[in-house]
Amino acid sequence: EINRLYPYQILNPKGQIFSKYPVRLVSDTIYTKTAFTTVCEVDIEGRKVTVVNNHLQSIGLTQDDKELYVELTTKPDSIENKLGGAKAITHKLLRAFKQRARQVEAVDSLARSIGGNVILCGDINDTPNSYAYHVLKKNRHDTYLDLATGPGYTYMANRMWVRIDYLLSEGDMQARYVNVIEIRSSDHYPAYADFE
């Protein structure tokens, strides 16, 4: 069924693209074992749209870290007994923020060098009040902010309810519809947009 709906596909191990229109891989950048940027050019009836698909650095929390986070956020008085674990989580957060800052600057520079109609999408692994988001959002449209209401959570697990997946655009196209689809095919909810 998916092959019939989206006959043009880029199926590399990191970023996969399924398209109704001819698509070609422009570049693949792998930052770390889990962080990458895949750039594809889609030919929509003679008009070029560049899709920059991202999975930027995650925090790398283990299951034990997640369980500790749940405990600390449900029983704040337990922090004194779990101070070592709380510090370890903080160090992971800081390391991921620094790595993501370098990655997002590279993505922003790449997208600006391409110009034209560009869709920046994917798992940025950071919230709308983060440095990573503000670098990518500058002079671009956030489809969710333009058209939707509410928090738009794309990740809801382990007492973390955040929007960390985005569809940003630049150029002469405009989003007409956006939604976060509440289906569980991974630990994230997919974000969906129609552009004109």
Side-chain angles (χ1 to χ4, degrees):
E1 177 71 22
I2 197 163
N3 292 329
R4 187 177 58 77
L5 289 172
Y6 304 101
Y8 303 99
Q9 302 172 5
I10 303 290
L11 301 175
N12 65 11
K14 297 290 183 182
Q16 299 181 358
I17 303 287
F18 296 86
S19 177
K20 294 178 181 180
Y21 301 97
V23 61
R24 72 175 183 88
L25 180 64
V26 174
S27 68
D28 252 342
T29 304
I30 299 173
Y31 307 110
T32 66
K33 190 167 59 170
T34 60
F36 64 87
T37 296
T38 300
V39 180
C40 295
E41 185 179 280
V42 183
D43 182 347
I44 303 174
E45 299 172 356
R47 294 183 54 127
K48 180 182 89 164
V49 175
T50 304
V51 177
V52 182
N53 184 27
N54 302 280
H55 184 273
L56 300 187
Q57 193 64 44
S58 67
I59 300 166
L61 297 179
T62 65
Q63 189 57 41
D64 288 343
D65 293 334
K66 292 174 185 177
E67 290 169 9
L68 175 60
Y69 176 81
V70 169
E71 181 179 341
L72 294 174
T73 57
T74 55
K75 302 174 194 167
D77 294 340
S78 69
I79 196 164
E80 286 183 27
N81 299 328
K82 308 286 184 175
L83 201 52
K87 285 182 179 179
I89 290 173
T90 302
H91 288 296
K92 287 182 179 184
L93 284 165
L94 291 173
R95 185 172 50 247
F97 288 146
K98 288 177 184 176
Q99 288 178 298
R100 233 180 351 265
R102 289 189 297 271
Q103 294 164 3
V104 79
E105 288 165 1
V107 170
D108 178 60
S109 178
L110 173 67
R112 291 193 190 289
S113 73
I114 293 168
N117 290 321
V118 177
I119 298 172
L120 281 92
C121 59
D123 181 358
I124 304 304
N125 269 314
D126 230 327
T127 62
N129 62 346
S130 67
Y131 173 78
Y133 173 81
H134 285 281
V135 168
L136 290 183
K137 169 69 174 79
K138 188 175 182 181
N139 299 318
R140 294 186 179 104
H141 292 278
D142 179 335
T143 60
Y144 193 82
L145 287 184
D146 288 350
L147 297 170
T149 59
Y153 299 139
T154 60
Y155 180 87
M156 294 191 303
N158 306 301
R159 289 183 53 83
M160 295 178 216
W161 302 285
V162 290
R163 181 164 77 107
I164 58 176
D165 303 274
Y166 302 94
L167 289 158
L168 306 170
S169 67
E170 62 183 71
D172 65 359
M173 59 187 178
Q174 190 169 8
R176 295 296 185 200
Y177 175 81
V178 66
N179 195 13
V180 174
I181 304 165
E182 293 188 23
I183 58 170
R184 279 288 184 187
S185 58
S186 79
D187 58 347
H188 293 248
Y189 291 129
Y192 172 88
D194 283 334
F195 291 93
E196 180 180 349

